[in-house]
Amino acid sequence: MIVALIAACEIGFWVLLAAGLACRYLLRMPRTGLALLLCEPLLEVVLLVATALDLKNGAEPNWTHGLAALYIGYTVGHGHRTVKWLDGHAAHRLGGAPKPLGPPRYGMARARHETKVWLGTLTAAAVATVLLQLAIWYVDDPSRVTSLEAWRFTAWRAAGIHGLVALAYWIWPKKAPAGESRDRLAETKEDARR
């Protein structure tokens, strides 16, 4: 049941996102679009309540409950950035706004960008850990919560690996090819003028 609900929440996320952006840019109804976009966190609340009810009704804590906590954590850590990125592209393609700049590709600017993304993963791991700990306390039976405890380590292992990737951008910053850095700077200035 929980896996189906996670899938439904993911589908609901993309449906609400598409409907919100369509209302904002195609139908020229920005308030309705914003309202739809603001409904997205409700999906995580539904998943959280359903998971708690499942545990309350005596379900054996298993990998599905851990996956639900990681999904909610990921949405908290990266959902806003995803919506903002897609909103920028929708504004460009559907609303006539200038093309959004992509992430920096080289040097310390790229390292800072990767660190910001990693902070989202760190937030996701922290939220998932809190939710998992609350579930462990809620179940209150050490013999039944080993799978939930394992998911805490999974969350922090993912954050650690992502942290090493982000750190690599600081240690070995990628250098721009000679002509490309000037071309990118010119593109940035041209976009700023529009």
Side-chain angles (χ1 to χ4, degrees), residues 31-98:
R31 287 186 180 178
T32 304
L34 180 61
L36 287 168
L37 292 175
L38 290 175
C39 286
E40 290 187 352
L42 294 176
L43 295 172
E44 278 63 46
V45 172
V46 167
L47 180 60
L48 182 62
V49 168
T51 303
L53 288 174
D54 193 40
L55 290 172
K56 183 181 182 202
N57 291 334
E60 190 66 29
N62 60 30
W63 66 273
T64 61
H65 300 98
L67 183 62
L70 258 61
Y71 177 81
I72 293 169
Y74 179 86
T75 303
V76 171
H78 293 287
H80 177 73
R81 187 175 50 82
T82 303
V83 170
K84 186 177 175 183
W85 180 81
L86 285 168
D87 185 52
H89 283 279
H92 167 65
R93 295 196 185 265
L94 305 173

Side-chain angles (χ1 to χ4, degrees), residues 98-137:
K99 182 178 180 183
L101 291 176
R105 296 169 71 189
Y106 305 107
M108 290 298 115
R110 180 60 185 235
R112 282 188 294 278
H113 169 76
E114 292 298 327
T115 301
K116 286 179 187 175
V117 175
W118 173 68
L119 290 174
T121 301
L122 214 55
T123 301
V127 168
T129 299
V130 167
L131 292 175
L132 289 165
Q133 188 60 48
L134 289 172
I136 289 167
W137 288 336

